[in-house]
Amino acid sequence: MTHTEYLKHLEKHLHQLSDQEKQEVLADYQEHFEMGMLEGREASDIAKDLGHPRDIAKEVYVQSRIENAETNKSITNLSHAILSTMSLGLFNLIIVLGPAIALLGIYISLWTAVVSLYVGAIGVFFVSSSSGVQLLQLFSSMILTGLGIMLTIGLAKLGSLLYYLFIKYVKWNVNIVKGGNYA
């Protein structure tokens, strides 16, 4: 395969990227060919060493999604990074998706508990009794509200930490799939 054919195939597989990202990747691979040819290597050998354009496009797309999730923090961007990582292979479907679903389930359950504390605080406060709101009801409501506030703050910080750790985990997983080291 000539370097022109290789770059055309690569460009075709990079359709999910923006034009700017696509041009940067193509320029990098054009440079690989130019440097290899200056060393006296054949274009077909360089293409073989670089790997299939489809695999390169997948890896570039995954890296792009991970970088987007790091810079623009949102659940949508994190889920895009996770899903694109899973596209690297069946192994990733099990290794990435399993922990993601488990952590998300636990995190949602904790938020449900916080909402329950707030609802409980309101319920305890407005429970009618014959003598109106009693002191015990007022203090119980305040305790439940205080616990809810503390857990809300804790879960907000935990959410940020989990987001950061999951991005690191996805990057580590991509590195392992690419044949990197385990550290």
Side-chain angles (χ1 to χ4, degrees):
M1 177 183 307
T2 68
H3 80 279
T4 307
E5 291 171 336
Y6 187 90
L7 293 174
K8 283 182 183 177
H9 284 289
L10 181 58
E11 183 176 14
K12 181 182 87 171
H13 290 292
L14 292 172
H15 63 87
Q16 294 175 316
L17 297 178
S18 70
D19 288 338
Q20 180 184 358
E21 289 174 312
K22 193 184 304 184
Q23 293 308 315
E24 288 175 10
V25 172
L26 291 172
D28 286 345
Y29 281 89
Q30 175 67 32
E31 188 175 325
H32 281 291
F33 276 101
E34 289 172 0
M35 296 300 289
M37 288 182 201
L38 286 175
E39 294 172 357
R41 298 178 61 205
E42 294 290 322
S44 60
D45 292 335
I46 297 168
K48 189 184 298 181
D49 289 345
L50 290 174
H52 196 282
R54 179 187 60 242
D55 296 335
I56 291 169
K58 281 184 183 179
E59 290 177 16
V60 169
Y61 182 68
V62 167
Q63 286 303 116
S64 172
R65 289 299 192 171
I66 291 171
E67 288 171 11
N68 188 29
E70 283 181 313
T71 56
N72 304 317
K73 293 183 179 183
S74 74
I75 295 298
T76 304
N77 289 338
L78 181 61
S79 64
H80 285 257
I82 291 168
L83 291 174
S84 63
T85 303
M86 290 184 322
S87 73
L88 292 177
L90 179 63
F91 173 76
N92 285 357
L93 181 64
I94 297 164
I95 298 301
V96 175
L97 190 59
I101 290 174
L103 283 175
L104 184 62
I106 292 168
Y107 192 66
I108 289 172
S109 298
L110 290 172
W111 275 110
T112 304
V114 167
V115 170
S116 298
L117 284 173
Y118 290 130
V119 169
I122 293 169
V124 166
F125 185 75
F126 287 111
V127 168
S128 63
S129 65
S130 58
S131 62
V133 177
Q134 296 180 349
L135 199 54
L136 179 61
Q137 289 173 305
L138 180 62
F139 286 134
S140 297
S141 180
M142 289 171 58
I143 288 171
L144 290 174
T145 302
L147 285 172
I149 291 170
M150 288 189 302
L151 284 174
T152 299
I153 293 168
L155 285 177
K157 293 203 181 281
L158 178 64
S160 294
L161 177 66
L162 286 175
Y163 192 95
Y164 169 77
L165 290 176
F166 216 85
I167 291 292
K168 296 283 276 183
Y169 178 70
V170 168
K171 286 173 122 178
W172 172 80
N173 188 271
V174 169
N175 189 33
I176 295 302
V177 169
K178 288 169 121 178
N181 58 14
Y182 294 98

